[in-house]
Amino acid sequence: MIQRFRLWFAERSLREKRMLIVMAVLAGLTLVWAVIFLPVTDGLSSARERHGDAVIRLAETRMRVKAVETLQHDKPAPIEASLDTVIRDRANEAGFALASVTSPTPNQVQISIATARPGPLFGWIAGLESSGILVESLSTTDNGDKTVSAQITLKVRAQ
């Protein structure tokens, strides 16, 4: 087989031999590029992309861990009185008239507010949450006069 190829190559003119050699070199370079270089560069590119995504996920995770640690260290002081008493006092201080207050469990209170402006109401709720009283459920209804009525279930954060 090799002998036959050599005989065939020897019968070519000098110009044809040079063209065949150049063609073989170009075919070899194309093959090396397609089989080795292209997959390696694609692999490196996807590795860089995965690395960048991993760095971003790591930073986000560290940020979330720090936020959780901050919450764990910044626990509010325990509530001294019963929850329904604390809610009544804070509602009176904020100027909200409670339509009803029920306490299904010692650490849970359901309240109803007939009329309140939304901004102050949600500010009051945020103040409750910062002091360790969490909103379990909240339902508001528009009264049509720039006020809302609210039904709120509150509970004490686990200490």
Side-chain angles (χ1 to χ4, degrees), residues 17-44:
K17 288 179 184 177
R18 287 180 182 163
M19 286 177 55
L20 287 171
I21 291 171
V22 169
M23 180 189 72
V25 168
L26 289 176
L29 288 174
T30 303
L31 188 64
V32 165
W33 177 78
V35 172
I36 297 172
F37 183 75
L38 191 60
V40 168
T41 56
D42 287 348
L44 288 174

Side-chain angles (χ1 to χ4, degrees), residues 93-146:
E93 289 171 8
F96 296 117
L98 299 178
S100 68
V101 178
T102 58
S103 185
T105 66
N107 291 330
Q108 186 179 33
V109 171
Q110 295 173 339
I111 64 171
S112 177
I113 300 174
T115 179
R117 296 190 58 93
L121 176 66
F122 290 114
W124 177 69
I125 292 171
L128 291 175
E129 287 187 330
S130 67
S131 66
I133 301 171
L134 302 179
V135 175
E136 191 170 77
S137 69
L138 169 67
S139 173
T140 60
T141 306
D142 184 12
N143 290 336
D145 60 353
K146 296 185 181 180

Side-chain angles (χ1 to χ4, degrees), residues 83-94:
L83 182 59
D84 59 341
T85 305
V86 171
I87 296 299
R88 287 177 205 266
D89 291 343
R90 293 199 182 172
N92 286 335
E93 289 171 8

